[in-house]
Amino acid sequence: MLLRLTLRACEVLPTPGRVCGGAPMPPSFPGPRPHGAPQDAEIDVAWQELMAISELQHFEVPADGSYVAPQYQTMEPMNPMGGYEMAQSHTACDLSSTVTYNGCYSEEVPKYRQSSRVEPMFGHSEYQLNQRMHPISSQALPSLIREQINMSGNSQGHRTANACFSQGISQHMIWTNHRPDVHLTDDPESDSGLSLGSTPPLASPDNPVGGVPGYQSVDIGMAYSDSEVDNIVEQTRRAHVNYSMEYQSQSQSYLHSVSEPNFSPQPSASLTQPNELTAQSMKQGPAAILNNLFIDSGVSSRGSSLHDIYTKTPGSSSSPVSRDQRRAMALKIPFPIDKIINLPVDDFNELLTHYTLTDSQLALVRDIRRRGKNKVAAQNCRRRKLESIIHLERELNQLQAQREHLAKEKMEFQHNLGFIKHRLTDLYTEVFSHLRDEDGQPYSIDEYSLQQTPDGKIYLVPHRYAK
DNA sequence: TCAGTATGTCATTGT
DNA sequence: TAACAATGACATACT
């Protein structure tokens, strides 16, 4: 009841220039002037600015016009500059529509798995990768072509018989048959950390097949575990240096297949020492590592020692020989590793039907295929991981830049808000200075406040009734 | 000798 | 169910 009375008492009267209680409205009274008070252009503009402040525009007045305190919003002067805070309504504004920063989210996260064929994703076609491989020497080319023809006959026209591998069989036989007696020792590289060997060990490494310590035949038909094959391979490697130059030139063609363009889908070696890369990469970060991956991967047969990776052949440059290649040689696998790994499964199975392989050979071939594919997969996986790191680093930088931008913008908004609040305080004081009650006395700014309803009417409300 | 990195390999999972 | 890609984990080599 009191509120109603107060409201009625304070409601702007129809009399022009009078606010509450019928006091004459001063000519300079700013505002919408619903009652047709004389306009002062300057003050009116100021008043409009005042009313434009969102904080002053949220009145909710009942339809019947009755006063309900909470529905009013105070127009009391705000604290002047300093100590002001960004109003909640401001923080809720859609900054995205005002932020001019456009450096963020400009690129999508790479969809690493959108294709199971990952190579193209890295921007290197097989052709491009092959460009990094060792060129076929002009001298080697004719023989390769001849061997291509031979191989095509053997494989009954396999779709893309790799010339560089086709020489393997006969020369490989020569190679192994030339083996002098060698003594078995443990393979010092012993390789794969786990090296559990998916090929079932048919004989314990501690109990070499054949029962003759220090010697082991490599005839096809014998079954070997991986480690045993490694032993054989190691011995042949050591014996290798004693071979005649004639043999060297022959075996080299087999070994050389590694560096031929069609050898592998992997990026080929530039014969950069792997650990040169390591040192550089440590300094240059993921991007450098990623770049170098294309150059370096495929060089080493793994973390094994370089002397083993690069089988030295007199009169020729180093050629990387993987462990599986040596195993294949040791077991006289009659087709190149390249085919074992890269042929489609149907072609691979067809290839197998053309040869009569022992169980150990078959197991080795399947292991080589599995390891070869997994090796490529691991390289791709690591490359993707590095790309992901690079992408995340870029995104982080962009987000940091955006954060700085937004912080700067926030400061500007706060500064503007403080300025507007300060101006509102001045206007509020000025409005009050022009208000007079029925007795012509000014209203105390400490006792009254101005409040506005959505319909634009201004009320002078005692503080005790104000919200 | 130790730390960090590169690589191959195995096991596992999902397709 | 086989084949394979992806990936974590591990071992090894190397700087």
Side-chain angles (χ1 to χ4, degrees):
Chain A
M1 173 62 84
L2 182 59
L3 289 176
R4 284 177 182 273
L5 292 175
T6 305
L7 179 63
R8 290 190 189 114
C10 297
E11 196 170 13
V12 175
L13 300 176
T15 307
R18 298 180 69 85
V19 173
C20 192
M25 179 69 78
S28 61
F29 181 79
R33 297 185 185 276
H35 309 295
Q39 301 262 338
D40 180 310
E42 181 180 349
I43 295 297
D44 192 62
V45 170
W47 181 259
Q48 289 178 11
E49 290 178 2
L50 184 71
M51 290 297 105
I53 297 174
S54 60
E55 293 171 346
L56 307 178
Q57 296 177 344
H58 299 294
F59 293 99
E60 292 181 8
V61 176
D64 62 358
S66 61
Y67 175 79
V68 179
Q71 293 173 326
Y72 286 85
Q73 184 160 340
T74 180
M75 295 177 63
E76 288 178 313
M78 301 176 182
N79 293 333
M81 296 286 288
Y84 48 76
E85 298 176 358
M86 179 174 284
Q88 194 66 27
S89 60
H90 286 276
T91 59
C93 72
D94 185 6
L95 286 176
S96 63
S97 62
T98 61
V99 169
T100 56
Y101 176 85
N102 57 5
C104 201
Y105 306 119
S106 59
E107 56 185 9
E108 296 180 4
V109 175
K111 295 177 177 57
Y112 296 125
R113 299 201 189 198
Q114 42 185 222
S115 169
S116 59
R117 300 294 177 193
V118 295
E119 276 75 16
M121 188 162 48
F122 304 109
H124 292 255
S125 66
E126 190 169 271
Y127 172 78
Q128 287 173 308
L129 296 178
N130 288 341
Q131 302 311 299
R132 296 169 181 269
M133 297 187 174
H134 307 303
I136 304 175
S137 69
S138 57
Q139 297 170 335
L141 204 50
S143 64
L144 291 177
I145 295 173
R146 285 196 303 273
E147 289 155 0
Q148 162 73 41
I149 296 172
N150 294 337
M151 188 60 179
S152 298
N154 289 341
S155 61
Q156 298 178 356
H158 262 298
R159 37 179 165 184
T160 52
N162 295 329
C164 55
F165 277 97
S166 57
Q167 73 276 4
I169 304 173
S170 61
Q171 292 162 353
H172 176 60
M173 298 305 182
I174 294 171
W175 187 85
T176 50
N177 288 337
H178 272 74
R179 261 188 75 246
D181 289 345
V182 292
H183 298 282
L184 270 180
T185 60
D186 290 339
D187 184 0
E189 60 181 327
S190 158
D191 217 326
S192 92
L194 297 179
S195 196
L196 302 177
S198 58
T199 303
L202 302 180
S204 165
D206 297 332
N207 183 20
V209 173
V212 182
Y215 178 80
Q216 191 164 6
S217 168
V218 295
D219 287 346
I220 295 177
M222 299 291 289
Y224 300 98
S225 67
D226 278 3
S227 60
E228 290 164 341
V229 173
D230 287 345
N231 287 341
I232 297 168
V233 167
E234 175 64 14
Q235 295 308 314
T236 56
R237 186 189 66 77
R238 290 173 181 173
H240 190 206
V241 296
N242 297 322
Y243 293 166
S244 66
M245 289 301 292
E246 177 185 5
Y247 159 72
Q248 299 292 352
S249 63
Q250 292 169 334
S251 65
Q252 180 60 20
S253 63
Y254 186 102
L255 303 178
H256 207 65
S257 65
V258 179
S259 55
E260 297 295 347
N262 291 326
F263 167 64
S264 165
Q266 308 171 28
S268 177
S270 64
L271 292 183
T272 302
Q273 294 289 332
N275 286 293
E276 288 179 15
L277 167 70
T278 302
Q280 294 172 358
S281 300
M282 291 172 65
K283 297 176 182 176
Q284 299 172 4
I289 297 173
L290 188 59
N291 288 334
N292 289 332
L293 270 175
F294 287 106
I295 301 173
D296 191 62
S297 65
V299 171
S300 94
S301 68
R302 58 165 307 215
S304 55
S305 61
L306 290 175
H307 83 274
D308 192 64
I309 295 168
Y310 299 91
T311 299
K312 298 295 183 182
T313 304
S316 70
S317 60
S318 299
S319 296
V321 179
S322 72
R323 199 169 52 120
D324 278 339
Q325 277 183 301
R326 298 198 308 271
R327 287 168 171 165
M329 286 188 290
L331 286 192
K332 302 178 182 176
I333 303 300
F335 34 77
I337 284 182
D338 162 74
K339 289 186 181 301
I340 295 174
I341 297 173
N342 297 320
L343 279 180
V345 63
D346 289 342
D347 293 350
F348 173 67
N349 289 331
E350 184 184 353
L351 177 66
L352 293 181
T353 64
H354 296 156
Y355 300 93
T356 301
L357 301 179
T358 66
D359 288 345
S360 60
Q361 282 180 311
L362 207 53
L364 176 61
V365 164
R366 296 196 181 283
D367 278 351
I368 288 173
R369 182 175 174 85
R370 176 180 51 77
R371 277 193 290 262
K373 286 186 175 299
N374 186 245
K375 182 166 71 176
V376 174
Q379 290 168 346
N380 291 333
C381 182
R382 284 162 178 148
R383 193 174 297 125
R384 278 192 298 272
K385 186 180 288 186
L386 285 174
E387 283 188 338
S388 177
I389 292 172
I390 292 171
H391 173 80
L392 290 173
E393 285 178 346
R394 287 179 183 160
E395 198 172 59
L396 176 64
N397 291 335
Q398 290 174 342
L399 289 172
Q400 287 175 337
Q402 188 189 30
R403 185 178 65 179
E404 292 176 6
H405 175 84
L406 291 174
K408 189 179 297 182
E409 205 170 50
K410 179 184 175 183
M411 290 292 293
E412 292 176 0
F413 286 147
Q414 287 180 330
H415 182 268
N416 292 338
L417 180 62
F419 175 78
I420 291 173
K421 284 181 176 179
H422 185 75
R423 187 161 185 188
L424 172 62
T425 301
D426 293 344
L427 287 171
Y428 202 91
T429 304
E430 183 176 351
V431 167
F432 260 92
S433 70
H434 290 87
L435 293 179
R436 295 290 183 275
D437 63 10
E438 294 169 337
D439 300 329
Q441 299 298 314
Y443 287 97
S444 170
I445 198 169
D446 296 328
E447 298 177 4
Y448 293 88
S449 64
L450 289 172
Q451 297 188 1
Q452 184 187 36
T453 59
D455 59 4
K457 292 182 179 179
I458 307 297
Y459 296 90
L460 190 62
V461 182
H463 276 321
R464 63 179 179 278
Y465 298 122
K467 185 176 63 174

